[in-house]
């Protein structure tokens, strides 16, 4: 859900339900890496409410587009991390298997 001025699409506050610091802080970091972003921050209105509000202000590009791009970038980072971990686990298991075959 988006709140903000309809005349100025370069700034908006997005409310994400069923989310917490994990996603919000990751998105904040990713958004702040984008040169189109002039300000980004998030808040959690109340600890018992599973909701985060993310404020995005840009150089003029619609904030919605920048948030969407950042979500896609974050997804790619997560896919890379997952792939790297899976590869490391596979290599470790293969090494363990080879070592167990060489027991004398």
């Amino acid at each position: 859900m988006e709140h903000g001025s309809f005349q100025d699409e370069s700034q908006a506050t997005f409310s994400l339900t069923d989310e917490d610091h994990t996603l919000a802080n990751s998105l904040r970091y990713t958004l702040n890496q984008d040169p189109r972003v002039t300000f980004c921050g998030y808040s959690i209105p109340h600890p018992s409410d599973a909701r985060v509000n993310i404020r995005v202000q840009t150089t003029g590009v619609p904030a919605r587009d920048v948030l969407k791009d950042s979500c896609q970038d974050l997804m790619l980072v997560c896919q890379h991390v997952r792939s790297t971990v899976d590869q490391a686990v596979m290599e470790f298991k293969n090494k363990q298997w080879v070592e167990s075959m060489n027991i004398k």
Side-chain angles (χ1 to χ4, degrees):
M1 184 168 169
E2 181 181 344
H3 303 287
S5 170
F6 287 104
Q7 292 118 351
D8 186 4
E9 293 183 349
S10 69
Q11 52 186 328
T13 300
F14 302 91
S15 186
L16 307 176
T17 57
D18 296 326
E19 295 299 344
D20 59 16
H21 291 284
T22 305
L23 178 64
N25 196 40
S26 299
L27 262 179
R28 180 202 55 80
Y29 177 82
T30 305
L31 280 159
N32 280 318
Q33 300 302 305
D34 191 321
R36 301 174 295 176
V37 174
T38 58
F39 173 82
C40 176
Y42 77 91
S43 64
I44 295 181
H46 192 275
S48 67
D49 188 15
R51 172 185 311 279
V52 296
N53 294 327
I54 299 178
R55 178 71 177 172
V56 180
Q57 295 174 326
T58 72
T59 57
V61 180
R64 176 184 298 214
D65 295 345
V66 175
L67 178 67
K68 182 179 175 183
D69 291 346
S70 288
C71 288
Q72 290 173 338
D73 290 346
L74 185 58
M75 187 174 65
L76 291 173
V77 168
C78 290
Q79 288 172 345
H80 174 72
V81 169
R82 177 64 187 256
S83 173
T84 301
V85 169
D86 288 348
Q87 180 67 29
V89 168
M90 186 179 71
E91 289 172 6
F92 177 79
K93 286 181 177 180
N94 286 341
K95 182 181 175 189
Q96 295 293 88
W97 183 80
V98 168
E99 288 175 358
S100 71
M101 299 308 286
N102 290 331
I103 297 175
K104 296 180 181 178

